[in-house]
Amino acid sequence: MLSTNFVLLIALAYVVILFALAFVSERRAREGHDRLLRSPLVYTLSISVYCTSWTLFGAVGSAARNGLEFATIYLGPTLMFVGWWFLLRKLVRIGHVYRITSIADLISSRFGKSATLGVMVTCIAVIAATPYIALQLKAVTASFEVFNLASDNSEDASIIADTDPGFWVALTMALFTILFGTRNLDANEHNPGVVAAIAFEAIVKLFAILAVGLFVVFGIAGGVNEVFQLPTAERIIYDNELFGWRWINMMVLSAIAIVCLPRQFQITVVENSDENHLRTAAWAFPLYLFLISLFVLPIAIVGTALLPAGTNPDMFLLTLPLSADQDLLALLAFIGGFSSATSMVIVSSIALSIMVSNHIVVPLILRMPRRNLNTSGDIKHLMLITRRISIAVILLLGYLYFHLSGESDALAAMGLIAFVGVAQFFPAMLGVLYWRNATTKGTIAGLGAGFILWIYTSFIPSLSGPGGVLTSLVEYGPWGIELLKPQAMFGLNGMDPLVHSVFWSLGSNAALFVLVSVWTAHRPLEKLQSALFIDVFRNLVGSEAQVMHRQAAIKDLYKLTQRILGPVETHKLFEELTGGELILQQLPPLDARGIATIERRLAGNIGASTAHALVSQIASGETISMDEIIKLVDETQQVVEYSHRLEQQSRQLRATADELRGVNLRLQKLDAQKDEFLSQVSHEVRTPMTSIRSFAELLLNNETLSNEQSRRFIGIIHEESLRLTRLLDEILEMSHLEQGHLQIESAPIDPETIIDRALETCHGLAEQHGAMLISGERATIARVRGDAERLYQVLINLLTNAILYNNNARPWVKVDSQNTGSHYELDVSDNGPGIPETDQVFEKFSRGKQNTANPKGSGLGLAISRRLVQKMNGELTIVNSSNQGTRFRLRLPLLDEDSGNH
């Protein structure tokens, strides 16, 4: 059995490995060998800092307690990266263009570079991150306790047995963060050492949970089916509410957290070196989340079923391998959880320390009287110190919360408190990206209300212990006012605490943000920043210089910049601005464009609001032209409107082109039909006319013909004349049908009597061709509305075609009819050669390619028949055609009983 001392030594060795990896990576980056570190793979792995010890330990515990609810923590970020990548892309673009250093810098910069907003966002971020940092300390401490309890050597006392493991964990994390997270002042520059360590830890924690998951499923349970046949499986999966309000809230909160958590903003936006990496992350990060959550449910099911009652579900990842004497696997799980905790704490501490330094400490020190900070790099040195102190203070706050909330039995609950806290930034962030009319006052009102209500409804209840003042407040409300109970405000009893907190805090935040923004007006700088941020994809860098009119002496700006950047970087920057050798006393004042460049460069170190405040002390005549702002906004709006018009015109052109294509195809088809029509008509007319002419010439020129021959020739001339007449009649009838000039009667008729009449008429033709006419199953009573003579004409055509084109040795033609629902159906079947699908027999002058038995047909009969049936609100189709016969079906609407009596 592993001793606690050995586990501690392994943890320290792992930290040493992280130190070495960070050191080597940072040195290679300085030497220019950072291609791998700037790859989309490393970027995606670094985003996995989202997966903390909550993922490895808390998610299993959440699954054991609440079933599939744990999946919402992964579904939210997946939806954000897959469906809202355009929001992430815009955030990254703004971060690159305006050198944004943190989420506080983003919001304060957009809203007029407001120092007040910077302080508010920083305070909320620090307080919201405190439970999350405490969660990591609690998870690591609980891991040590598991090994301590499992150790069978009571004499092997831990070297930290008499101390608090959480303290040593916090101290180790603080040292690592200070050493590698505050080496560079420029917060907008990348931290390759830290990013490399985070990417490495992402691989370690993924490997750890997959290894334990595979062992639990196949080594302990015996397979996937066996896992879900355990008695605890049904309770865990089905006995918890699915897709309720808590589900929706957790999914929304996790989606918001992936962009609003300070550590996620730091990695996703600030550490991004190429916005195209988001394309890879859009699918690779959801895949990572799927893999790391794959075995959460099986581990929870097996742990609940096999481990003793009372075992902490959050520690199943460790206790299951230990129960099976798999000490090395348990050690790997511990390292995975330790990796998750350290990566989260390191990145969060870096992000929060930048915010505290840029928006609180340095502005306060710079405003203090009698400060002696006038030497080169003095502000830079000051900021490095304040960031290191901030890291220590932030971890101390997390450590204090860890002790104050020691009674909490679930890691997931602590994580959700932090999620609700950072969710307060989301309305303001949407305003930053998309709402041009959002104002500073609206943002302050919304953030202030949301923060206060979050503290009251979520943060305070998490600190309430048995018998304390906070416990009384939570249970009975302040001064016993039950309507103000933190978890049941204004009578909302029975609501889930998470849903209750989100409803009041985020709802009030969004409502006040919108209402106050609508009621208040922009300051000029707010209007300018609104145009620059919202239209970041259209505006050129330096657009603000067109609007802000100011100038400053180069030597004063040089002195200020040197105090922050140091002499080397300052000299290089001003050489680029002036285009040559620097003789400060002889250069004219710097214009608005140059000042804007310096301000953006300083913003990457000290934040936009502090940079603006310092530069404004030196720049003279600083004014913002509202006319230029309106012009800038109008130009952008014109571009948008022009783009919309072009898009609309493009859609119209595409639709017109499609219509023209369709018309062209129809014209080609009609042209082909016209050619075929003329060919068919000329052929059909020429044949009888040739016969008539030939026999007429014989009668005129041959006087030796007998009376019998003359009569025979005259009979042929008569027959061909009738054939010609029929052809012309059909052509005329077809023309009338197509033009709508043919009148069709509409009266109640009995189709069965018309069938009998048609069968009797065609009886002689059938006998002449050796075909058998069959009257099959018939409808007993049927009444339809139509034209009796036209229906008779259609039936004669169908029966005649079936007889003439049937080349079977024993031909037959069969007629069936029936009432089906609201329609009358009549089928005419034969056992002839069938009609290929390629034959368009209902087209004009179209005759089946196999139907050559009667070359005298005009090819108009079926076309006329279909149009006649359509005139009677019916349809004529081929429902079956094969090499064993053809079946035509005629359908007409039935008359109801009342209609049939008219």
Side-chain angles (χ1 to χ4, degrees), residues 691 695-696 698-699 705-720:
S691 297
F695 286 107
L698 284 173
L699 289 173
L705 292 174
S706 64
N707 290 337
E708 183 179 352
Q709 288 178 320
S710 297
R711 282 195 299 273
R712 187 168 65 85
F713 291 166
I714 292 171
I716 292 173
I717 291 172
H718 181 263
E719 183 180 344
E720 293 298 324

Side-chain angles (χ1 to χ4, degrees), residues 217-230:
V217 171
F218 298 101
I220 296 179
V224 177
N225 291 333
E226 286 74 8
V227 170
F228 291 98
Q229 288 174 1
L230 290 172

Side-chain angles (χ1 to χ4, degrees), residues 44-262:
T44 302
L45 287 173
S46 65
I47 295 175
S48 70
V49 71
Y50 174 80
C51 301
T52 66
S53 59
W54 179 1
T55 298
L56 267 75
F57 298 140
V60 175
S62 177
R65 297 180 181 94
N66 303 311
L68 293 174
E69 183 182 281
F70 79 94
T72 58
I73 304 304
Y74 309 102
L75 289 174
T78 298
L79 292 175
M80 178 64 75
F81 268 81
V82 173
W84 280 35
W85 66 269
F86 56 89
L87 181 147
L88 297 173
R89 178 170 171 259
K90 194 169 188 178
L91 272 178
V92 170
R93 175 65 64 85
I94 291 173
H96 286 178
V97 172
Y98 300 108
R99 303 181 64 82
I100 298 299
T101 62
S102 64
I103 191 169
D105 196 23
L106 174 81
I107 294 175
S108 64
S109 296
R110 156 62 178 87
F111 294 102
K113 302 182 180 180
S114 168
T116 303
L117 267 177
V119 172
M120 282 188 67
V121 174
T122 299
C123 291
I124 296 173
V126 170
I127 296 173
T130 299
Y132 222 146
I133 294 174
L135 185 156
Q136 314 310 313
L137 300 178
K138 184 178 181 66
V140 176
T141 302
S143 301
F144 275 114
E145 291 174 356
V146 168
F147 283 102
N148 192 38
L149 292 173
S151 177
D152 57 0
N153 187 357
S154 59
E155 296 179 359
D156 182 19
S158 170
I159 59 177
I160 58 171
D162 297 329
T163 61
D164 186 352
F167 172 78
W168 295 105
V169 172
L171 180 61
T172 303
M173 293 178 180
L175 289 174
F176 183 92
T177 308
I178 290 171
L179 285 176
F180 288 97
T182 60
R183 294 169 69 88
N184 299 318
L185 175 61
D186 191 345
N188 197 254
E189 292 295 330
H190 302 271
N191 296 286
V194 173
V195 171
I198 300 305
F200 174 74
E201 290 185 310
I203 297 173
V204 170
K205 60 192 177 190
L206 178 61
F207 179 75
I209 195 169
L210 289 178
V212 175
L214 289 170
F215 172 73
V216 169
V217 171
F218 298 101
I220 296 179
V224 177
N225 291 333
E226 286 74 8
V227 170
F228 291 98
Q229 288 174 1
L230 290 172
T232 55
E234 184 174 355
R235 177 185 64 79
I236 288 176
I237 296 174
Y238 298 109
D239 288 359
N240 294 283
E241 182 184 3
L242 300 179
F243 310 112
W245 282 110
R246 182 176 171 86
W247 261 68
I248 295 172
N249 275 264
M250 289 183 65
M251 195 179 303
V252 171
L253 286 175
S254 59
I256 292 173
I258 202 66
V259 293
C260 289
L261 281 169

Side-chain angles (χ1 to χ4, degrees), residues 418-441:
F419 272 25
V420 180
V422 297
Q424 306 308 317
F425 301 144
F426 196 62
M429 180 176 286
L430 290 180
V432 166
L433 299 178
Y434 299 110
W435 192 23
R436 200 178 300 274
N437 294 323
T439 66
T440 303
K441 292 180 180 178

